Amino acid sequence: MREGLGVGGSLDNAARRLLQSIALRFGPAPFTPQEAAAACENAAAMSEVLLALRRLLEHGEIGAFQKTLGGLCFAVPFERSLQIAAELAEAALADARNAGIEAESDGRADGKDMALDLLMLLDDIERRDIRLTRKGKIEQKSVERWSRLVRRENEAAAALLTASCPYPAAVAIALDLMMRLGLIRLDGETVQTDAGRIGQWTAGKCADCRRKLYAEWLGVWCPDDGAARLIAMALPALPGGEWFCAEKLLSRAAAAGAVFGGKAGGDNTLSGQTKRFLAILAEFGWLETGTARSGETVFRSLLSGEKDGADEKIVIQSDLDVVVPPGVSYDAHRMLLAFAEPVSRDRAVIYRLSKNRSQLAWRQGWTWDRAIAGLERLARFGVPEPV
């Protein structure tokens, strides 16, 4: 186990200080030696920076890779950057967390769950022959159908994409993430799924699936705002169910030297870029917003496992509707999609068992015994006779 910011205390002070600086400034994003030198609190000679980077490489604190056009880049591994962020933000998190914060409502969780979005898209890809155009783009009718399946608005996320992107923002980000995780691949003229990779991703708790998506997303869309970066790295470390006040956290981030919107920290209000970043996290289903009794906007992380209902069960109704409350594993959702139609998504997801889906499931290798056994394992009140 690592202790503090070193490996068994073997790193020298210069290397430790540099590690803190680059973790706060860059998170898991790549950086050059020149950028590392610029991130140092006190001006340091390039030779000293290179020596410290070499020490960090030797101790596995950072990785190195060659850029496409030449030149050496470095990066702090995501999990390590998260650990360092939690250490740097420990006092801020303690001050910004629950500590008397009570939300007037239970916050906002309206079914905009990126993991469920991906499961719905993957189910659609598996059921249809998704074709590519001659230019290698997904056919328009599939994109329009996927836009209806994805539950996120496009406004906050659209700014992440270039004007030349041929797909709506939510669909484009979902496709990007599915390809990065190896859940889909473009095979000649069609889009193919990888059942093994999908099974690996959905295994375990819901929060673990969300964290995998979050790690991939953050590696690409890591914000430049230092305060947003600190929130991005610290968010998965926040206990689930606990509200935190962003203003207090950002105030401590400014005191630690975080940069707000490209300008030196010191403004205790939320910067515009950080506000947009928090809005995107809420859109993706990784953050929940609420209002404290004091009138402050408060947040809580949905990336923690503490809110997962490990013993949560589905409710199968005699009218063939299946109610799936929050916390039920994504593996269970994937099983239900095999022979049930998704009807609505809010705090709970409702499926309807259908003859057409069931017949398709039988053709894909499902058996009556396997389907009933799966439903019985998940059902809180058993499987009604009409099913």
Side-chain angles (χ1 to χ4, degrees):
M1 290 291 291
R2 290 183 170 99
E3 298 180 3
L5 293 175
V7 183
S10 58
L11 279 177
D12 56 52
N13 289 334
R16 288 195 188 96
R17 286 194 299 270
L18 180 62
L19 183 59
Q20 290 185 48
S21 297
I22 60 179
L24 181 61
R25 178 65 185 87
F26 304 108
F31 60 89
T32 64
Q34 292 76 16
E35 290 170 331
C40 293
E41 293 182 13
N42 301 315
M46 182 56 67
S47 59
E48 295 176 353
V49 172
L50 291 174
L51 182 59
L53 289 173
R54 180 177 178 181
R55 293 280 291 161
L56 293 174
L57 272 173
E58 290 172 348
H59 287 80
E61 297 286 359
I62 61 175
F65 57 93
Q66 202 77 18
K67 293 175 67 174
T68 305
L69 299 178
L72 194 61
C73 273
F74 303 90
V76 181
F78 178 80
E79 292 294 339
R80 183 61 175 135
S81 67
L82 172 60
Q83 179 188 0
I84 295 169
E87 292 169 356
L88 291 172
E90 183 175 0
L93 294 180
D95 185 36
R97 273 169 38 195
N98 225 358
I101 296 177
E102 293 185 28
E104 290 285 356
S105 64
D106 195 27
R108 182 169 66 85
D110 51 9
K112 293 178 181 177
D113 179 348
M114 178 179 281
L116 272 179
D117 285 345
L118 264 59
L119 283 181
M120 298 295 174
L121 296 186
L122 289 166
D123 176 69
D124 187 82
I125 294 170
E126 290 175 332
R127 291 177 180 279
R128 304 174 188 268
D129 183 23
I130 307 297
R131 311 297 299 181
L132 302 178
T133 66
R134 291 181 178 179
K135 295 182 178 180
K137 307 297 182 185
I138 296 169
E139 54 189 1
Q140 185 61 29
K141 63 180 181 180
S142 295
V143 174
E144 292 174 356
R145 189 172 60 252
W146 292 351
S147 295
R148 294 190 295 270
L149 290 175
V150 175
R151 286 294 306 270
R152 298 192 308 281
E153 301 295 335
N154 289 342
E155 285 80 0
L160 301 173
L161 304 175
T162 64
S164 61
C165 181
Y167 309 123
V171 172
I173 293 171
L175 285 170
D176 180 74
L177 282 169
M178 288 191 292
M179 294 186 70
R180 289 179 185 279
L181 288 169
L183 308 180
I184 64 171
R185 65 181 184 277
L186 304 183
D187 186 11
E189 299 179 351
T190 61
V191 182
Q192 301 291 328
T193 59
D194 188 321
R197 288 287 188 93
I198 296 172
Q200 292 172 5
W201 170 57
T202 57
K205 293 184 176 182
C206 296
D208 293 333
C209 298
R210 290 193 291 264
R211 275 194 290 265
K212 290 175 185 176
L213 291 180
Y214 183 80
E216 287 293 332
W217 177 83
L218 193 61
V220 179
W221 306 110
C222 200
D224 293 328
D225 187 309
R229 188 185 304 283
L230 185 61
I231 289 179
M233 292 188 292
L235 190 64
L238 286 165
E242 288 197 8
W243 296 98
F244 70 93
C245 175
E247 283 84 353
K248 290 182 180 178
L249 181 56
L250 297 183
S251 176
R252 300 298 285 268
V259 176
F260 289 73
K263 297 181 180 180
D267 182 1
N268 291 345
T269 62
L270 283 170
S271 70
Q273 186 171 344
T274 307
K275 284 183 179 178
R276 288 192 296 273
F277 178 65
L278 291 172
I280 292 170
L281 296 186
E283 279 189 0
F284 288 177
W286 295 328
L287 188 71
E288 194 170 20
T289 61
T291 303
R293 292 181 179 178
S294 63
E296 290 181 297
T297 300
V298 291
F299 307 87
R300 63 182 172 188
S301 171
L302 297 178
L303 295 170
S304 169
E306 292 185 20
K307 289 190 69 180
D308 274 336
D311 300 322
E312 197 67 75
K313 298 289 186 177
I314 66 176
V315 177
I316 305 175
Q317 301 176 166
S318 57
D319 62 359
L320 304 186
D321 278 0
V322 181
V323 181
V324 185
V328 171
S329 73
Y330 293 120
D331 259 345
H333 283 278
R334 183 159 168 75
M335 181 197 75
L336 287 168
L337 282 168
F339 41 79
E341 299 274 359
V343 176
S344 67
R345 285 172 59 186
D346 196 18
R347 283 186 174 271
V349 182
I350 298 178
Y351 295 90
R352 181 164 297 144
L353 297 167
S354 71
K355 183 177 180 180
N356 288 340
R357 284 247 175 177
S358 297
Q359 289 176 339
L360 182 58
W362 310 150
R363 290 197 293 269
Q364 292 177 338
W366 280 82
T367 64
W368 184 88
D369 289 338
R370 179 187 171 195
I372 293 298
L375 291 174
E376 288 178 337
R377 175 175 55 84
L378 294 169
R380 180 177 293 279
F381 305 113
V383 180
E385 186 63 31
V387 174

